[in-house]
């Protein structure tokens, strides 16, 4: 059981060995995550991670000044297995893998990786009844992030993420962690791991590393709310429109074929999506009483 607690009425200052990394591409005027953090009174450091192949870099620098970090995408590609034979560098996987290099350069012990399209973060109070939830109180983003960092600091987990809408379907389990990590990541600088695959890189990471016995968790008490991927120009939209969820999901099948398959997701609006069989993915922990 994950023990993650945060007291909404307690105000604290964000620690100085931590920063939020916002990964962004060709959206200098539409970083919804920054607006959301401002609305919830986040007081810590923000670093905007932009690649040197982005032709809007100058606009990022005009808007966000020294908070913009421009990385060499070809160097990031050298340490990244895209799992395909394409020669372009489209995809967020390169930025994800370069985050530990950036954190070391900036002297950070911990960092949180976020995409640029979050409109809100919600505190989940009851997912049993139609996934009802309430937005977190506006003065406590620092408290939430600090609690997540302290959990990573005090445990051997590789990363801790927040839930997404699909994690709450079916109602049960909203108060228990999941052995997965997608989209948002609290990481320790001295505990690096690699993302692989041009797309679905987060799923690829947690099935590969989870199968080895590494721990990547999603805490379900908070959930991120995002813009619809294919309706928000820039970022990964063009890549998803080109390949769709069919190709995206098959990267995870290639990564862990004994535990991941492609299946139809949804009823009204059906689409192909990855499906993880956790019985064949994460190691089981047996009670001592069954020791032979």
């Amino acid at each position: 059981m994950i023990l993650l607690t945060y007291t909404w009425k307690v105000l604290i200052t964000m620690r100085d060995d931590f920063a939020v990394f916002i990964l962004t591409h060709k959206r200098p005027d539409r970083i919804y995550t920054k607006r959301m953090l401002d609305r919830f009174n986040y007081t810590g450091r923000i670093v905007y991670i932009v690649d040197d192949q982005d032709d809007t870099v100058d606009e990022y620098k005009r808007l966000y000044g020294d908070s913009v970090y421009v990385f060499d995408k070809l160097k990031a590609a050298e340490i990244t297995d895209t799992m395909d034979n394409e020669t372009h560098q489209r995809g967020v996987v390169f930025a994800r893998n370069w985050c530990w290099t950036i954190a070391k350069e900036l002297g950070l012990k911990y960092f949180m990786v976020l995409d640029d399209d979050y409109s809100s973060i919600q505190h989940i109070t009851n997912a049993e009844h139609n996934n009802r939830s309430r937005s977190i109180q506006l003065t406590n983003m620092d408290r939430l992030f600090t609690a997540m960092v302290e959990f990573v600091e005090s445990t051997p987990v590789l990363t801790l993420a927040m839930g997404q809408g699909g994690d709450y379907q079916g109602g049960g389990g909203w108060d228990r962690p999941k052995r997965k990590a997608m989209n948002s990541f609290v990481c320790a600088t001295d505990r690096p791991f690699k993302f692989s695959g041009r797309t679905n890189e987060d799923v690829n990471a947690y099935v590969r590393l989870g199968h080895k016995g590494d721990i990547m968790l999603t805490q379900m008490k908070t959930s991120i709310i995002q813009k619809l991927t294919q309706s928000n120009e820039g970022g990964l939209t063009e890549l998803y429109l080109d390949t769709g969820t069919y190709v995206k999901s098959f990267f995870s099948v290639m990564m862990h074929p004994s535990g991941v398959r492609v299946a139809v997701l949804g009823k009204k609006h059906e689409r192909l999506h990855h499906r993880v069989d956790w019985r064949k993915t994460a190691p089981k922990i047996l009670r001592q009483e069954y020791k032979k």
Side-chain angles (χ1 to χ4, degrees):
M1 177 65 69
I2 189 170
L3 298 177
L4 180 70
T5 60
Y6 37 85
T7 304
W8 299 114
K9 295 182 180 180
V10 175
L11 302 183
I12 64 173
T13 302
M14 203 66 226
R15 49 197 291 169
D16 59 10
D17 61 354
F18 167 84
V20 166
F21 289 175
I22 298 180
L23 309 187
T24 181
H25 184 77
K26 292 189 178 183
R27 291 173 177 167
D29 58 339
R30 285 172 290 118
I31 303 185
Y32 298 104
T33 301
K34 170 64 164 60
R35 302 174 193 177
M36 181 270 295
L37 293 175
D38 288 344
R39 194 168 73 250
F40 291 158
N41 293 335
Y42 170 69
T43 65
R45 185 177 183 181
I46 299 176
V47 182
Y48 304 89
I49 311 299
V50 185
D51 67 82
D52 60 352
Q53 296 180 15
D54 188 332
D55 56 14
T56 63
V57 165
D58 289 340
E59 182 64 10
Y60 278 105
K61 290 181 177 179
R62 186 186 71 81
L63 292 171
Y64 305 108
D66 293 339
S67 295
V68 177
Y69 186 104
V70 182
F71 73 96
D72 187 328
K73 206 168 190 180
L74 289 179
K75 283 188 176 180
E78 291 176 359
I79 65 168
T80 300
D81 179 5
T82 60
M83 299 173 59
D84 62 15
N85 56 7
E86 298 286 350
T87 57
H88 62 81
Q89 280 82 48
R90 287 191 299 170
V92 72
V93 64
F94 309 104
R96 294 209 192 284
N97 280 338
W98 206 249
C99 283
W100 284 269
T101 300
I102 298 171
K104 289 179 182 178
E105 185 176 324
L106 299 180
L108 302 171
K109 291 181 66 176
Y110 301 95
F111 57 93
M112 182 177 224
V113 183
L114 301 178
D115 287 350
D116 61 5
D117 57 352
Y118 303 160
S119 58
S120 183
I121 294 180
Q122 293 187 328
H123 175 211
I124 302 302
T125 56
N126 188 347
E128 297 287 352
H129 302 290
N130 300 320
N131 193 22
R132 293 177 183 173
S133 57
R134 62 180 176 84
S135 295
I136 69 172
Q137 296 181 21
L138 304 186
T139 55
N140 289 279
M141 186 66 77
D142 289 355
R143 183 61 180 166
L144 169 61
F145 287 178
T146 297
M148 293 181 70
V149 171
E150 289 178 348
F151 181 84
V152 172
E153 188 175 36
S154 61
T155 67
V157 300
L158 287 184
T159 190
L160 181 66
M162 290 181 281
Q164 296 177 277
D167 291 326
Y168 303 92
Q169 292 181 358
W174 67 274
D175 57 342
R176 298 190 299 273
K178 289 193 173 185
R179 284 287 300 268
K180 58 179 290 190
M182 295 181 66
N183 208 271
S184 62
F185 308 90
V186 173
C187 301
T189 305
D190 62 358
R191 269 179 256 169
F193 58 90
K194 285 284 185 67
F195 292 93
S196 301
R198 191 172 300 278
T199 58
N200 238 31
E201 73 290 332
D202 42 12
V203 180
N204 301 340
Y206 74 68
V207 296
R208 174 175 59 89
L209 295 169
H211 191 60
K212 289 171 52 182
D214 290 319
I215 302 174
M216 305 176 78
L217 292 177
T218 291
Q219 59 88 4
M220 302 286 285
K221 293 300 183 69
T222 52
S223 174
I224 55 175
I225 309 300
Q226 296 173 267
K227 297 287 183 179
L228 292 176
T229 302
Q230 297 183 10
S231 66
N232 190 19
E233 185 179 352
L236 291 175
T237 298
E238 293 178 3
L239 185 57
Y240 285 149
L241 289 174
D242 283 350
T243 63
T245 57
Y246 180 79
V247 173
K248 175 177 180 285
S249 298
F250 259 101
F251 278 100
S252 299
V253 176
M254 288 193 294
M255 179 59 72
H256 185 49
S258 63
V260 182
R261 62 187 176 92
V262 171
V264 175
L265 179 70
K267 293 183 178 179
K268 185 176 181 181
H269 302 288
E270 294 184 346
R271 61 189 176 110
L272 291 171
H273 200 265
H274 65 265
R275 182 164 295 175
V276 178
D277 185 343
W278 284 102
R279 298 171 302 170
K280 301 173 182 177
T281 300
K284 312 297 189 300
I285 299 176
L286 300 180
R287 293 181 181 179
Q288 189 69 15
E289 64 188 92
Y290 297 115
K291 181 179 180 180
K292 294 183 180 180

